């Protein structure tokens, strides 16, 4: 990203648990990614901010969106 290998310093367990679920930081990152991407920020910039590869940023966003949709569906199911 910036040539100094900063991404190597990021804790690999920061955003995901061993079973692939989002951590609290992962949930926060997913929410932030959703907001900023909606505003038009490109994936390379978002990934650089999180100090991850753009594919990782997209994956975090996808996981966050999926978790949000599941939570909404579960809440809707509870109402009926």
């Amino acid at each position: 990203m910036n040539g100094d290998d900063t991404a190597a310093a990021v804790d690999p367990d920061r955003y995901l648990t061993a079973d692939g679920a989002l951590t609290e930081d992962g949930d926060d990152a997913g929410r932030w990614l959703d907001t900023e991407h909606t505003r038009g920020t490109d994936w390379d910039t978002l990934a650089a901010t999180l100090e991850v590869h753009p594919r990782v940023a997209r994956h975090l966003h996808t996981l966050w969106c999926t978790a949000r949709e599941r939570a909404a569906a579960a809440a809707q199911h509870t109402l009926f």
Side-chain angles (χ1 to χ4, degrees):
M1 288 176 278
N2 59 9
D4 67 358
D5 208 18
T6 306
V10 175
D11 179 6
D13 299 325
R14 179 175 180 183
Y15 299 117
L16 299 173
T17 62
D19 65 352
L22 291 170
T23 63
E24 187 174 334
D25 281 347
D27 188 58
D28 291 343
R31 183 178 301 107
W32 176 80
L33 286 164
D34 191 54
T35 300
E36 293 303 315
H37 187 64
T38 300
R39 291 180 179 165
T41 308
D42 66 273
W43 287 112
D44 290 336
T45 301
L46 296 171
T49 302
L50 293 178
E51 298 180 338
V52 297
H53 191 278
R55 285 181 288 189
V56 173
R58 286 188 204 111
H59 185 64
L60 285 170
H61 181 252
T62 299
L63 289 173
W64 182 82
C65 288
T66 300
R68 178 184 63 182
E69 290 167 4
R70 284 183 184 154
Q76 187 71 17
H77 179 72
T78 303
L79 294 175
F80 296 103

